[in-house]
Amino acid sequence: MEYTDKVLDHFQNPRNVGEIPDADGVGEVGNAKCGDIMKMFIKVSEDGIITDVKFKTFGCGAAIATSSVATEMIKGKSIDFALTLKNQDVVDSLGGLPPQKIHCSVLAEEAIKKAIGDYYTKIGLFPKEENNCQCCSSCTSCNSDK
Amino acid sequence: MSCSTVYFDHGATTFVRPEVLAKMLPYFGQSYGNASSVYSLAKISRYALTNARKTIAECINASEENEIFFTSGGTESDNWAIFGVTEAYKNKGNHIITTKIEHHAVLNTCEYLEKNGCDVTYLSVDKYGKIDLNELENAITDKTFLISIMFANNEIGTIQPVKEIGEIAHKHGILFHTDAVQAVGHIPVDVQSMNIDLLSMSAHKFNGPKGVGALYVKKGVKISNCFYGGAQEKNKRPGTENVPSIVGMAEALKTACDEMIYVNTNLTRMRDRIIKEIIQNIPDVILNGHPTDRLPGNVNLSFKYIEGESLLLALDLKNICASSGSACTSASLDPSHVLLAIGLPHEIAHGSLRITLGYENTDDDIDYLFSVLPEIVERLRNMSPLYNKERKE
């Protein structure tokens, strides 16, 4: 399966690239050894709306496109909505992904959840999580870390 | 593909030269006889096969044409060489020596044999991708019957000391097979002076057709059948011969060998120009492979902080075809075993770009690459969380 036009569009013209220096939550998932790292930055208003979101991604075209489209899907939405976002929603929004690239959409979902988790930790709602490699848990790179 | 496509992936495959195609065409519709038949239509095919075999034998300096066996390509030749010799020499031993940077056609064959009673030593390579001849000699045991080491690496282009490997093999009475798929038609190959017993080649790497190759088996070397059937290829590799493709392979190889000195002068110049100018103009770029003992058309560079597949995709959107050792270009999650074997960390191996030149590439193609590449690399790096991290450190 080839990349859809929408994947290529998000790869060529990614939305919301960058960092938010005073972010309320930051989530980084993946592992350079596996070839994918996604980092999401969110600003959250007092009433729980994600007012701004930015990303930085090291990875393949699909990793960049899923990051980009995921930021679009949660920007201006409530945290409650963002937490319901599933990787399949990201895949559907891009008009599909090749099977071996589905893990990129999982990374996007995890990056959002991790950024929200970080936000909850910062406001005192969550204990701090351990930073595990969540990219795939199966490649030799991950195993060598364990 | 548009006509403006710049093709920099000759290590993957090449187009069939028009003059090669012209030689092949009569054997599809006019001279289609089965070379095993008795009538004169079949004689034309038989004659074409004999000529092709002679031509190919001459191009690699085989002592006689009967040492050339036609196959379906590099993978079959590698598999047959290793399986066939393992079976034929099973009373001599069960130990094979190869390297960590072989093509999967050799590596996976050896891994299969390991599960079935063979011991295999996988030699490591230095940072340039070269084996150590002392390590090779030290690995030999009284059970070693085969050394299989590639002539030139498909990813990083490094050329091995083939003649010396053959000398060591013969000093110990061991057979030497070389996967020369990337070498034949590109650099001088002389099976006699280089002490080669078995050699694999594939036509589509030197502007011949896909689906055809050959295995050179030196006279006197025992090899069991590739498979079983009729009397073709001295009963060893039965099946009606693919005459049009075999004719194409011979024509392509003869042309490649005739033009080699001229073409290689130009390819080496263009290769070194690409390496020099990219490293000069883009920061944090590493050359993979040996600076001089490398295939004339092979460039392999790692661009730190970015991932190879995204680089290929961005180049493709500019109509440039290249390849990468990134995991994301394959079904596997690990980057290229060759780049890991030369000691690259995973994240740098993921950021590799392979450019393999062919005789039809020009300096205009390279100028075009230079006009788009820095901007692509900069754009991807600005998106990369590794880039910022490293720079702040």
Side-chain angles (χ1 to χ4, degrees):
Chain A
M1 186 185 169
E2 303 285 324
Y3 285 146
T4 63
D5 287 346
K6 196 160 177 197
V7 171
L8 293 178
D9 175 41
H10 275 270
F11 170 69
Q12 276 289 75
N13 311 293
R15 282 57 142 180
N16 306 309
V17 176
E19 298 183 9
I20 303 176
D22 58 340
D24 297 316
V26 181
E28 183 175 318
V29 295
N31 180 330
K33 289 175 95 180
C34 303
D36 290 303
I37 299 177
M38 264 183 217
K39 197 168 181 183
M40 291 265 184
F41 305 78
I42 53 170
K43 282 295 277 182
V44 184
S45 68
E46 280 177 13
D47 53 350
I49 301 296
I50 298 172
T51 55
D52 197 10
V53 52
K54 298 254 190 250
F55 81 90
K56 284 230 162 159
T57 291
F58 162 81
C60 62
I64 290 166
T66 52
S67 314
S68 167
V69 82
T71 60
E72 258 191 354
M73 291 170 88
I74 62 165
K75 193 169 176 175
K77 302 283 168 42
S78 69
I79 279 195
D80 290 346
F81 170 82
L83 284 171
T84 66
L85 193 78
K86 290 272 173 273
N87 79 296
Q88 191 58 43
D89 303 329
V90 174
V91 175
D92 293 345
S93 164
L94 288 168
L97 278 177
Q100 73 272 25
K101 301 291 183 185
I102 296 296
H103 80 278
C104 296
S105 66
V106 175
L107 279 184
E109 179 192 326
E110 287 175 349
I112 291 169
K113 295 211 161 120
K114 206 158 179 186
I116 294 171
D118 181 52
Y119 163 71
Y120 280 152
T121 307
K122 277 182 179 157
I123 63 169
L125 279 177
F126 256 23
K128 206 163 165 55
E129 268 185 274
E130 265 186 65
N131 189 7
N132 289 325
C133 168
Q134 297 174 353
C135 56
C136 56
S137 310
S138 58
C139 66
T140 54
S141 312
C142 296
N143 292 335
S144 66
D145 279 356
K146 283 170 189 166
Chain B
M1 258 194 243
S2 78
C3 56
S4 64
T5 295
V6 173
Y7 189 75
F8 282 148
D9 204 15
H10 295 80
T13 194
T14 57
F15 68 93
V16 175
R17 281 177 185 246
E19 60 270 34
V20 167
L21 183 61
K23 292 267 183 180
M24 292 169 65
L25 287 175
Y27 295 95
F28 285 101
Q30 299 156 29
S31 306
Y32 55 86
N34 187 320
S36 303
S37 302
V38 291
Y39 35 77
S40 40
L41 184 66
K43 276 186 201 156
I44 301 171
S45 299
R46 215 153 42 233
Y47 181 71
L49 277 178
T50 305
N51 274 346
R53 215 183 294 277
K54 271 186 193 155
T55 302
I56 290 165
E58 281 165 15
C59 287
I60 61 169
N61 196 30
S63 62
E64 48 186 89
E65 72 211 51
N66 286 335
E67 295 174 322
I68 305 296
F69 292 81
F70 295 116
T71 68
S72 66
T75 296
E76 183 189 320
S77 295
D78 284 341
N79 271 255
W80 182 23
I82 296 169
F83 280 131
V85 164
T86 301
E87 169 75 16
Y89 289 84
K90 62 185 172 193
N91 292 329
K92 182 178 188 309
N94 67 343
H95 180 231
I96 299 172
I97 301 173
T98 184
T99 77
K100 290 181 180 167
I101 62 164
E102 297 300 309
H103 189 276
H104 285 110
V106 168
L107 278 185
N108 290 351
T109 303
C110 287
E111 281 169 21
Y112 172 84
L113 286 171
E114 268 187 297
K115 290 178 192 144
N116 289 275
C118 278
D119 290 326
V120 181
T121 300
Y122 300 91
L123 298 175
S124 52
V125 292
D126 66 15
K127 64 176 177 173
Y128 298 120
K130 285 226 186 197
I131 66 147
D132 178 343
L133 292 169
N134 290 325
E135 192 187 337
L136 167 66
E137 194 153 16
N138 290 335
I140 294 171
T141 72
D142 57 356
K143 295 280 182 199
T144 310
F145 66 94
L146 176 66
I147 294 172
S148 178
I149 294 177
M150 70 198 326
F151 204 114
N153 186 264
N154 49 315
E155 293 188 39
I156 56 175
T158 301
I159 299 166
Q160 300 296 344
V162 173
K163 187 178 181 196
E164 290 78 4
I165 295 169
E167 271 168 19
I168 291 172
H170 290 175
K171 189 171 101 185
H172 293 270
I174 297 165
L175 294 175
F176 174 36
H177 165 249
T178 185
D179 170 359
V181 164
Q182 295 286 336
V184 171
H186 296 279
I187 50 177
V189 173
D190 180 332
V191 290
Q192 293 188 68
S193 77
M194 292 173 169
N195 310 304
I196 296 165
D197 298 307
L198 302 112
L199 175 143
S200 305
M201 67 170 88
S202 179
H204 75 108
K205 306 292 191 187
F206 47 77
N207 297 94
K210 293 168 184 61
V212 64
L215 179 66
Y216 159 80
V217 183
K218 191 164 91 182
K219 194 179 173 186
V221 170
K222 289 186 287 176
I223 186 161
S224 67
N225 271 35
C226 182
F227 27 75
Y228 294 85
Q232 295 91 351
E233 304 299 295
K234 295 199 279 178
N235 298 306
K236 292 286 184 188
R237 200 279 185 184
T240 301
E241 300 88 345
N242 183 356
V243 178
S245 293
I246 289 168
V247 166
M249 171 161 71
E251 180 67 17
L253 184 56
K254 186 175 185 317
T255 312
C257 291
D258 288 348
E259 295 178 357
M260 193 182 286
I261 294 172
Y262 164 75
V263 168
N264 281 0
T265 307
N266 197 36
L267 287 186
T268 305
R269 182 190 59 76
M270 290 198 289
R271 173 196 78 188
D272 292 343
R273 184 184 165 213
I274 294 174
I275 294 169
K276 187 175 160 219
E277 293 198 27
I278 290 180
I279 289 178
Q280 257 173 16
N281 296 321
I282 302 179
D284 299 321
V285 180
I286 298 167
L287 174 68
N288 298 318
H290 198 281
T292 51
D293 287 344
R294 70 188 300 139
L295 291 168
N298 177 290
V299 174
N300 191 310
L301 299 165
S302 275
F303 293 77
K304 286 188 181 179
Y305 320 121
I306 60 178
E307 195 280 328
E309 193 247 28
S310 56
L311 187 54
L312 294 188
L313 191 57
L315 287 171
D316 181 40
L317 292 165
K318 300 283 186 189
N319 289 320
I320 295 176
C321 309
S323 72
S324 169
S326 151
C328 285
T329 57
S330 69
S332 140
L333 283 161
D334 290 317
S336 143
H337 64 286
V338 177
L339 298 179
L340 296 180
I342 61 171
L344 291 193
H346 278 65
E347 54 271 34
I348 293 176
H350 281 296
S352 74
L353 175 70
R354 184 186 73 166
I355 291 167
T356 38
L357 304 168
Y359 74 88
E360 82 286 4
N361 284 132
T362 63
D363 280 284
D364 286 348
D365 295 339
I366 298 171
D367 289 339
Y368 177 62
L369 173 73
F370 291 165
S371 75
V372 300
L373 186 65
E375 194 188 323
I376 290 171
V377 171
E378 184 64 14
R379 188 171 77 82
L380 292 172
R381 282 182 173 168
N382 284 335
M383 252 188 261
S384 168
L386 296 175
Y387 193 41
N388 278 347
K389 257 187 197 167
E390 299 272 344
R391 293 206 132 185
K392 279 174 195 163
E393 273 167 11

